[in-house]
């Protein structure tokens, strides 16, 4: 089976030896140093990359991460930091025989302050666990995505993940107050802060948000967590055209205003694929070309329900919304969200899927789905679009029986050239990783990329942190 990584030239890194393993075992304890059954750590979520790591290390503290990196830097051993391994761009698994640095044991929620809303958490904390702990004091983590049961908050920060509530909470650059990271030479960079405002010098924490493990290993975070909302309403709407989708989005912003917390789009093929693959899902409506999941988070149920009803009535009276259901009942809310969460999985359940995560100008948001359906013809089994309409972030998915060069050449680099022509982003929220690094040039110019390389060389002169990723 030819691997997408077969033609990668292994960098001139040292090869692991027994003395290294002995050092790590003495440092971490034997049980935290794995040398077999590493398949899971070597396999990316989309099963497109199978690394060849011979060693997985599971540090339990910042000091241990520091000691590991110091050793690897001196020995020039390549390292692949790994969180929940739910990344979709091949960034979280080794490409050759890099050591996997698994953050899973650095998973403590250190503190959650219900007065300031500030939480301090270790990078390897699973997002859902972090959110559950925050909810104990009436707070919530300002990011939510379908991988929450497995992804780590450190992985979310390292990929600058977006998710379904960017409409409400913005992205992580706004909610991360402080970062602790360990640099390639083992130095601990303490950029932690308990404040929203700290205008002292360069704002270095932002360098680690979205750096995908290439500038340092994030070990701790300070996050601003909003209060949970007393009133949660979700509408699941059926619409006849993308023009109606846009009108409904504008109306939602106008009529729901400050309580609008999510605006997701699912097209008919994306929905039907999920419903076909997962019989436990049940959609309250069917038969429309487009669906929108719109959520509000507010403090007054009566008031919010009234606003939501008026918004939908108006849309229906104008013929922009054809059908829909609204609910505030927690079980039903969860059921509707489950539909959205299972959409990406439905497309990879029994097929190979080319997944694109692109930002496009809102008016052009959906055209590319029709263009690709036309261009791929019978080569594809499903061509569909869904995603974060509120952020202008489309997930174009092109499924086929199995990977083949014909369809590959039909879709890439066409999708990226199309995106670049519209001055869009070739990666809205998933990052670059290994799979998209050849396409970075479609969204960042040569001068910017050269400065990125200089920064990488300054932070990691031996290039041991997540090599073969992000920058060619
Ligand atoms: P990993 O996959 O383990 O790693 C991701 C990258 O971060 C790698 O480059 C890795 O080296 C680096 N890294 C991980 N931890 C650290 C650390 N502590 N320090 C330094 N570098 C680190 N993404 C979105 O943005 N929005 C979505 O809506 C979304 N939905 C998803 C739904 C599903 C069902 C799935 C499977 C994935 C989804 N993703 C989404 C993609 C993925 O969940 C995110 O990219 C997530 O942030 C990855 O977190 P992780 O802990 O799994 O990181
Ligand atoms: C989403 C998840 C993965 C994908 O569902 O919002 O980010 O691209 C995606 O299907
Ligand atoms: Zn997404």
């Amino acid at each position: 089976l030819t691997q997408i990584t077969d033609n990668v030239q292994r960098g001139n890194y040292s090869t692991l030896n027994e003395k290294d393993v002995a050092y790590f075992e003495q440092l971490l304890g034997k049980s935290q140093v794995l040398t077999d059954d590493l398949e899971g750590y070597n396999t990316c979520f989309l099963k497109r990359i199978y690394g060849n790591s011979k060693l997985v290390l599971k540090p339990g503290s910042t000091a241990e991460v520091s000691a590991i990196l110091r050793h690897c830097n001196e020995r020039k051993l390549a390292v692949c930091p790994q969180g929940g391994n739910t990344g979709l761009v091949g960034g979280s698994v080794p490409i050759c025989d890099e050591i996997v640095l698994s953050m899973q044991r650095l998973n403590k929620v250190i503190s959650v302050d219900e007065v300031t809303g500030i939480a301090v958490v270790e990078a390897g904390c699973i997002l859902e666990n972090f959110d559950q702990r925050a909810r104990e004091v009436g707070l919530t983590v300002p990011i939510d995505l379908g991988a929450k049961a497995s992804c780590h908050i450190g992985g979310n920060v390292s990929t600058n993940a977006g998710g379904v509530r960017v409409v409400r909470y913005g992205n992580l650059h706004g909610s991360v107050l402080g970062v602790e990271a360990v640099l390639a030479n083992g130095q601990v960079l303490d950029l932690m802060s308990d404040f929203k405002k700290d205008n002292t010098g360069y704002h270095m924490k932002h360098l680690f948000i979205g750096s995908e493990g290439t500038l340092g290993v994030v070990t701790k975070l300070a996050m601003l967590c909003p209060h949970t909302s007393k009133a949660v309403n979700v509408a699941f709407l059926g619409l006849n055209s993308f023009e109606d989708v846009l009108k409904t989005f504008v109306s939602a912003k106008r009529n729901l205003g400050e309580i609008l917390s999510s605006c997701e789009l699912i097209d008919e093929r994306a929905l039907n694929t999920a419903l076909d693959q997962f019989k436990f899902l049940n959609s309250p409506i069917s038969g429309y070309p487009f669906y929108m999941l719109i959520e509000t988070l507010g403090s007054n149920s009566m008031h919010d329900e009234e606003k939501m009803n008026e918004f939908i009535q108006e849309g229906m009276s104008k013929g922009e919304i054809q059908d829909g259901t609204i609910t505030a009942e927690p079980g039903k809310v969860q059921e509707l969200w489950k539909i959205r969460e299972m959409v990406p999985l439905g497309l990879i359940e029994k097929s190979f899927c080319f997944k694109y995560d692109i930002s496009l100008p809102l008016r052009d948001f959906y055209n590319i789905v029709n263009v690709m359906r036309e261009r791929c013809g019978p080569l594809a089994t499903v061509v569909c679009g869904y995603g974060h309409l509120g952020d202008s972030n489309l997930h174009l998915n092109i499924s086929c029986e199995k990977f083949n060069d014909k369809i590959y050449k039909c879709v890439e680099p066409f999708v990226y050239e199309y995106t670049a022509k519209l001055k869009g982003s070739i990666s809205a929220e998933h990052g670059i990783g290994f799979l998209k690094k050849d396409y970075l040039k479609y969204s960042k110019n040569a001068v910017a990329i050269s400065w990125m390389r200089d920064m990488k060389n300054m932070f990691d002169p031996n290039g041991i942190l997540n090599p073969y990723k992000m920058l060619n």
Side-chain angles (χ1 to χ4, degrees), residues 260-305:
L260 178 64
S261 53
S262 189
C263 187
E264 296 288 303
L265 175 76
I266 307 173
D267 77 5
E268 186 172 25
R269 286 174 177 79
L271 179 69
N272 291 346
T273 306
L275 300 179
D276 290 349
Q277 295 298 339
F278 307 115
K279 297 303 176 199
F280 60 84
L281 294 176
N282 54 353
S283 176
I285 50 175
S286 63
Y288 298 100
F290 294 96
Y291 297 84
M292 292 176 84
L293 188 154
I294 294 180
E295 179 194 68
T296 62
L297 294 177
S299 52
N300 178 322
S301 310
M302 292 271 281
H303 164 260
D304 293 4
E305 267 169 50

Side-chain angles (χ1 to χ4, degrees), residues 45 80-88 91-93 103 123-124 144-147 150-164 211-214 216-219 340-341 344-345 388 395 429-430 433 466 469:
F45 183 88
C80 174
Q82 191 175 87
N85 200 11
T86 67
L88 296 165
S92 53
V93 290
M103 300 305 287
D144 186 7
L145 54 145
S150 314
C151 64
H152 296 180
I153 189 63
N156 298 150
V157 168
S158 300
T159 54
N160 187 21
V164 295
S211 62
E212 300 184 51
T214 60
V217 174
V218 171
T219 43
R340 170 60 183 86
E341 284 169 16
L345 299 174
H388 319 291
H395 291 308
E429 57 177 9
H430 296 164
N466 229 3
K469 313 281 174 63

Side-chain angles (χ1 to χ4, degrees), residues 128-404:
E128 199 168 55
N129 298 348
F130 181 18
D131 191 58
Q132 273 155 12
R133 177 73 168 62
R135 284 177 183 273
E136 286 167 12
V137 292
L139 299 174
T140 183
V141 180
I143 176 171
D144 186 7
L145 54 145
K148 60 182 158 234
S150 314
C151 64
H152 296 180
I153 189 63
N156 298 150
V157 168
S158 300
T159 54
N160 187 21
V164 295
R165 291 217 178 79
V166 171
V167 155
R168 175 57 160 273
Y169 297 130
N171 74 35
L172 289 172
H173 284 283
S175 36
V176 171
L177 301 182
V179 170
E180 178 191 78
V182 182
L183 304 180
N185 63 6
Q187 210 177 23
V188 177
L189 189 53
D190 179 351
L191 302 167
M192 293 295 280
S193 163
D194 281 342
F195 301 100
K196 275 193 221 173
K197 294 184 166 178
D198 171 17
N199 239 342
T200 51
Y202 299 123
H203 294 235
M204 291 176 65
K205 70 179 175 185
H206 294 289
L207 292 175
F208 296 95
I209 301 173
S211 62
E212 300 184 51
T214 60
L215 298 182
V217 174
V218 171
T219 43
K220 211 181 281 173
L221 294 156
M223 291 198 70
L224 189 57
C225 295
H227 284 269
T228 47
S229 302
K230 283 181 252 172
V232 180
N233 285 281
V234 171
F236 195 75
L237 310 174
L239 306 101
N240 274 343
S241 71
F242 186 67
E243 291 67 46
D244 289 346
V245 166
L246 285 185
K247 287 178 189 154
T248 302
F249 175 47
V250 172
S251 165
K253 288 190 286 185
R254 192 171 288 137
N255 295 307
L256 301 175
E258 76 297 343
I259 61 172
L260 178 64
S261 53
S262 189
C263 187
E264 296 288 303
L265 175 76
I266 307 173
D267 77 5
E268 186 172 25
R269 286 174 177 79
L271 179 69
N272 291 346
T273 306
L275 300 179
D276 290 349
Q277 295 298 339
F278 307 115
K279 297 303 176 199
F280 60 84
L281 294 176
N282 54 353
S283 176
I285 50 175
S286 63
Y288 298 100
F290 294 96
Y291 297 84
M292 292 176 84
L293 188 154
I294 294 180
E295 179 194 68
T296 62
L297 294 177
S299 52
N300 178 322
S301 310
M302 292 271 281
H303 164 260
D304 293 4
E305 267 169 50
E306 201 184 313
K307 279 174 92 161
M308 188 67 117
N309 280 314
E310 276 167 23
F311 152 66
I312 292 180
Q313 286 315 323
E314 186 188 300
M316 293 186 99
S317 62
K318 288 182 179 170
E320 292 160 4
I321 298 173
Q322 300 309 310
D323 195 353
T325 175
I326 319 173
T327 183
E329 197 278 308
K332 282 248 163 296
V333 164
Q334 212 150 29
E335 243 180 52
L336 291 174
W337 271 116
K338 198 67 192 159
I339 295 173
R340 170 60 183 86
E341 284 169 16
M342 295 311 287
V343 160
L345 299 174
L347 290 150
I348 56 176
E349 189 67 9
K350 295 200 184 85
S351 322
F352 180 85
C353 188
F354 292 95
K355 283 186 171 286
Y356 300 99
D357 157 46
I358 46 185
S359 288
L360 291 169
L362 210 44
R363 288 181 179 73
D364 302 309
F365 186 83
Y366 192 78
N367 292 342
I368 189 168
V369 179
N370 298 320
V371 166
M372 293 316 291
R373 196 168 291 142
E374 175 80 18
R375 185 177 164 89
C376 295
L379 288 175
T381 46
V382 177
V383 178
C384 68
Y386 57 89
H388 319 291
L389 183 84
D391 316 332
S392 240
N393 172 191
L394 174 73
H395 291 308
L396 163 71
N397 278 223
I398 302 169
S399 291
C400 51
E401 302 288 313
K402 55 183 188 319
F403 177 88
N404 64 78

